[in-house]
Amino acid sequence: GASAPPAAPLSGQVITAVRDAVRQAYMAAAPRLLEALYLCELQATQDVMGRMYGVLNKRRAQVTREDMIEGTPLFIVHAMLPVVESLGFAGEIRKMTSGAAHPQLVFSHWELLDVDPLEQANTIDDDEFDRDSSKNIARAYVRNVRRRKGLLVEEKLVEHGTKQRTMARKK
């Protein structure tokens, strides 16, 4: 029978070159993340609306609609809630509203996060911006995933380094 041709002597070099070219093309294309969103429908009474909105804001939800059910004291609120922020959401909303708000979460769509997850700080002002994860949520997601997977996370261990003074008294 016919035997398979021997592997080309340069196949390892070709694979390495292609891998490096794909990585460089990816980095040159300014990568962006897609964020999964739930359609969150909540039923609540008027007296707990403020606390319910507090929980929604804390979890970066965007309220899209608020309707009142005729003949009842209930409101129906529709919001877009990031899936990553939904962990423990139902329990927290029930706790904060003493069980008066009832959420229902259904996957809605994917949305582009229009911030660079690989952006590096160049100045001191940028460095402060970089530490505030609410401003670059994509970078915070990448850091959290890398940390969870045990990969290298570039973080400063000391932010405001000053000489430490000893508490012992000299005799």
Side-chain angles (χ1 to χ4, degrees), residues 7 50 77 102 104 122 154 168:
V77 175
H102 305 283
Q104 181 177 354
N122 295 327
E154 296 176 15

Side-chain angles (χ1 to χ4, degrees), residues 68-143:
M68 185 174 179
I69 301 174
E70 294 296 324
T72 68
L74 293 177
F75 283 83
I76 294 184
V77 175
H78 290 91
M80 289 301 181
L81 177 70
V83 171
V84 73
E85 302 284 350
S86 68
L87 188 66
F89 173 72
E92 183 180 4
I93 202 96
R94 286 192 186 109
K95 178 180 162 195
M96 293 302 289
T97 62
S98 303
H102 305 283
Q104 181 177 354
L105 302 174
V106 178
F107 178 77
S108 176
H109 64 282
W110 294 90
E111 191 171 281
L112 182 72
L113 286 175
D114 201 22
V115 277
D116 188 355
L118 305 175
E119 184 177 45
Q120 296 292 332
N122 295 327
T123 65
I124 293 172
D125 292 336
D126 288 349
D127 193 34
E128 283 183 26
F129 173 84
D130 189 42
R131 279 195 302 271
D132 186 3
S133 62
S134 66
K135 294 183 179 150
N136 190 342
I137 197 73
R139 186 166 174 81
Y141 287 163
V142 170
R143 282 182 175 167

